[in-house]
């Protein structure tokens, strides 16, 4: 079986000329279908950069980065868009639209799927919010939801299209310990049900036990790539 994400000798730079700075150094990493991989490391270590490259949010520059078989190193905007259609994104700050209700925010996760009718989008969005326990909050606006509820809406939006890959950047950072645990357990359960792969960046040591593997980054380099022993 081919890895869902296959990274070989990846280097990445920000800036140009004298301001050019290398931020990723010779990264090699394979992530398989259905795996939950957590990436840890200090701020500025390159975790979010690697996450955004893997998600097709920017083009990789040097080395090889294959996602679902598509090479993203030097990829065009159209190629990056095609890869993004298979991804779900969960961010620390929710990134919900305050002028839209919960169900309208979730429907945005289906906008790239032109084969669905408006009724199908509505039905799937409602069902997804029911799965994350927000069936009584469908028509609430973000300002009327708690932090944990907002993050549940963000998870519903990320998973409503049944993506092959979910990319999460500090999804528990703004939550208390119980809400953070609930959110991560929910991500784990739904991802396993849908058979998708999760790559999650976090500083939150309380949630590391949901990982199949933990990847440690420091100064733009992978320093550890270990399979978690669930028996320990």
């Amino acid at each position: 079986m081919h890895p869902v994400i296959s990274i070989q000798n990846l280097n990445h730079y920000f800036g140009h000329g004298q301001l050019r700075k290398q931020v990723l150094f010779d990264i090699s990493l394979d992530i398989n279908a259905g795996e939950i991989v957590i990436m840890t490391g200090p701020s500025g270590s390159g975790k979010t950069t690697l996450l955004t490259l893997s998600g097709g949010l920017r083009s990789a520059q040097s080395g090889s980065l294959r996602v679902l078989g598509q090479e993203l190193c030097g990829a065009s905007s159209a190629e990056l868009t095609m890869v993004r259609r298979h991804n779900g994104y969960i961010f620390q700050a929710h990134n919900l639209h305050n002028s839209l209700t919960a169900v309208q925010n979730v429907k945005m996760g289906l906008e790239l799927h032109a084969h669905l009718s408006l009724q199908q989008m509505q039905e799937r969005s409602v069902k997804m919010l029911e799965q994350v326990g927000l069936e009584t909050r469908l028509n609430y606006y973000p300002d009327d939801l708690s932090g944990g509820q907002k993050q549940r809406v963000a998870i519903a939006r990320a998973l409503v299209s049944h993506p092959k890959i979910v990319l999460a950047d500090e999804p528990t950072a703004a939550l208390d310990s119980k809400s953070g645990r609930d959110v991560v357990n929910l991500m784990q359960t739904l991802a396993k049900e849908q058979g998708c792969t999760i790559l999650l960046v976090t500083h939150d040591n309380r949630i590391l036990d949901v990982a199949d593997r933990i990847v440690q980054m420091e100064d733009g380099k992978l320093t550890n790539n270990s399979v978690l022993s669930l028996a320990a």
Side-chain angles (χ1 to χ4, degrees):
M1 186 196 313
H2 294 294
V4 173
I5 300 174
S6 182
I7 305 169
Q8 301 296 325
N9 308 117
L10 181 70
N11 297 284
H12 197 72
Y13 306 83
F14 287 146
H16 301 280
Q18 292 184 334
L19 296 177
R20 191 174 193 238
K21 179 184 177 184
Q22 188 166 358
V23 291
L24 295 180
F25 298 81
D26 199 31
I27 303 287
S28 292
L29 175 68
D30 284 344
I31 299 174
N32 297 313
E35 248 192 322
I36 298 178
V37 175
I38 287 184
M39 202 173 350
T40 66
S43 296
S45 60
K47 305 183 302 296
T48 295
T49 299
L50 185 57
L51 190 80
T52 55
L53 290 172
S54 300
L57 296 175
R58 56 163 62 102
S59 181
Q61 297 166 342
S62 167
S64 176
L65 171 54
R66 299 184 70 84
V67 177
L68 301 171
Q70 172 70 51
E71 178 61 64
L72 299 192
C73 196
S76 67
S77 295
E79 289 168 334
L80 292 176
T81 298
M82 287 298 293
V83 166
R84 288 198 295 269
R85 286 183 178 173
H86 298 290
N87 297 343
Y89 302 92
I90 303 168
F91 301 98
Q92 174 182 341
H94 322 302
N95 285 14
L96 300 180
H97 288 264
N98 286 328
S99 62
L100 301 179
T101 63
V103 74
Q104 289 170 335
N105 267 288
V106 173
K107 275 166 68 176
M108 291 189 68
L110 295 170
E111 284 190 343
L112 290 174
H113 299 266
H115 63 285
L116 294 174
S117 69
L118 288 175
Q119 183 177 349
Q120 287 173 317
M121 288 184 183
Q122 177 75 12
E123 289 171 353
R124 192 182 282 193
S125 299
V126 169
K127 184 178 179 182
M128 197 72 233
L129 282 168
E130 289 172 349
Q131 284 186 267
V132 301
L134 291 178
E135 60 277 359
T136 63
R137 299 288 190 273
L138 300 178
N139 297 311
Y140 280 52
Y141 290 92
D143 284 347
D144 298 319
L145 298 173
S146 69
Q149 289 170 338
K150 289 177 187 175
Q151 199 59 298
R152 284 168 180 260
V153 175
I155 290 171
R157 181 182 58 190
L159 292 172
V160 70
S161 65
H162 288 222
K164 293 178 180 173
I165 301 169
V166 171
L167 300 148
D169 193 2
E170 298 282 5
T172 65
L175 303 177
D176 61 49
S177 104
K178 183 183 185 306
S179 297
R181 166 54 62 182
D182 289 346
V183 157
V184 169
N185 287 346
L186 187 62
M187 285 174 60
Q188 181 185 35
T189 300
L190 293 175
K192 291 297 184 187
E193 286 176 3
Q194 294 187 8
C196 68
T197 303
I198 294 181
L199 178 58
L200 189 155
V201 166
T202 190
H203 285 102
D204 190 348
N205 292 332
R206 301 167 301 186
I207 65 170
L208 299 183
D209 58 300
V210 305
D212 297 309
R213 189 151 44 111
I214 296 173
V215 174
Q216 179 86 21
M217 286 195 73
E218 196 164 332
D219 298 326
K221 301 169 186 170
L222 282 185
T223 59
N224 184 41
N225 181 4
S226 61
V227 177
L228 200 65
S229 173
L230 297 179

